[in-house]
Amino acid sequence: MTTVVRRAARWNRPLMVLVSMMAVLAVVAVVGILVDPRVLTGAPIWLKPFKFAVSFVLYGATLAWMLSLLPRRSRAVERAVVVIVAVAVVENAVIVGQVVRGQTSHFNDSTPLNTALFAAMGAAIMVLFFAHLVIGIVVLIQRIPDRVAATAVGWGLGLSLLGMLAAVPMALPMQDPGIEGIGGAHSVGVPDGGPGLPLVGWSTTGGDLRIGHFVGLHALQALPILAILLTRFATRWDERTRARLLVVAGGAYGVLTVLLTWQALREQPLLRPDAVTLVAVAALVVATATATGLVLARGRRPDLALAA
């Protein structure tokens, strides 16, 4: 375990420093959840810092690992990483500061200060989006030697950008709940803070835009994990076939992210889809299964590939 930690610490120093900071913040937030009785929008007031801290731990560690796969250093990537770390620090500082003040950090237009802080967070996230995009472009240009890893990293980076975009409707005028001091919402068709799923808090009575946002963002972990599983357990298939399977998975994952966002915009809870949503999900499953079958039918085993 010590060897693994030391190896991880060398992936990318700024990102791993960020991971360490966010891990500490997550622990602080857990303590806050346990000892601070305050509730905000229907949830423990320290729950949001906890979720953001854990999210940045996963994001920073995964991105650092991805960058360790690049064949050579890139100044553009190094600068983008510094920007991402700075944005993450600003974002979480505002969230924690608002918790200390007993205020919501998102969609808070109740005072000029709260409005300015929310605007600063929005601007910071846009900066992170473009820094992340720069990293994605460099990864595509440099071409990671391992074809399966390269496919997973490319799709993971791209789909996480889609996940970021899935959050944009939260702050659009159509999400204005008409409540003084609030300028946006996670939920669609119902007020924020209502009945929700355990831990994540996703609405069980209306649509929730956080679902597509969450799923899209975590493509950054899902696709590399799938690549590792394919490399470990699908050895009967050659590298090209495994990479094609990842393309199918990435395409399906992207469609699922869009589908979940579409479902939320139609005011449907995740666990109560209507017939149209179910048909769309069924079509996605059939299309994914068909594409997977075609890839496997055309695939070759490594021994046969060498013989050819």
Side-chain angles (χ1 to χ4, degrees), residues 73-302:
R73 291 180 58 186
S74 165
R75 288 186 178 180
V77 166
E78 291 174 356
R79 290 169 181 169
V81 163
V82 171
V83 170
I84 287 173
V85 171
V87 167
V89 170
V90 169
E91 190 84 1
N92 285 277
V94 172
I95 291 171
V96 172
Q98 290 293 75
V99 165
V100 172
R101 297 177 62 231
Q103 298 284 324
T104 58
S105 53
H106 288 68
F107 318 124
N108 193 341
D109 292 336
S110 59
T111 68
L113 175 59
N114 289 331
T115 300
L117 289 173
F118 180 49
M121 291 175 67
I125 287 299
M126 287 304 300
V127 172
L128 186 148
F129 177 91
F130 286 108
H132 186 100
L133 177 61
V134 167
I135 290 175
I137 293 172
V138 171
V139 167
L140 291 177
I141 292 174
Q142 286 207 9
R143 296 181 180 276
I144 295 171
D146 186 318
R147 185 170 184 173
V148 176
T151 304
V153 170
W155 276 91
L157 288 168
L159 290 172
S160 57
L161 286 172
L162 178 62
M164 294 180 196
L165 291 175
V168 171
M170 297 180 190
L172 295 180
M174 66 181 184
Q175 280 296 94
D176 187 344
I179 302 173
E180 185 177 356
I182 301 178
H186 299 124
S187 303
V188 184
V190 295
D192 279 352
L197 295 174
L199 186 60
V200 291
W202 297 336
S203 177
T204 55
T205 57
D208 200 310
L209 292 165
R210 288 174 294 185
I211 302 170
H213 178 53
F214 175 90
V215 171
L217 283 180
H218 289 291
L220 201 67
Q221 291 82 37
L223 272 297
I225 288 173
L226 178 57
I228 292 170
L229 293 175
L230 287 173
T231 300
R232 176 67 178 84
F233 298 107
T235 53
R236 62 177 299 185
W237 305 109
D238 64 359
E239 185 181 53
R240 176 180 293 182
T241 300
R242 295 197 296 270
R244 286 175 174 171
L245 288 173
L246 279 168
V247 171
V248 172
Y253 200 101
V255 173
L256 176 63
T257 300
V258 173
L259 195 157
L260 290 169
T261 304
W262 172 65
Q263 180 187 12
L265 289 171
R266 292 165 55 232
E267 304 182 7
Q268 290 178 27
L270 175 65
L271 302 182
R272 290 165 51 192
D274 65 5
V276 176
T277 303
L278 290 174
V279 168
V281 171
L284 174 60
V285 171
V286 170
T288 303
T290 301
T292 300
L294 290 174
V295 168
L296 293 177
R298 295 179 57 189
R300 293 189 295 178
R301 298 180 182 182

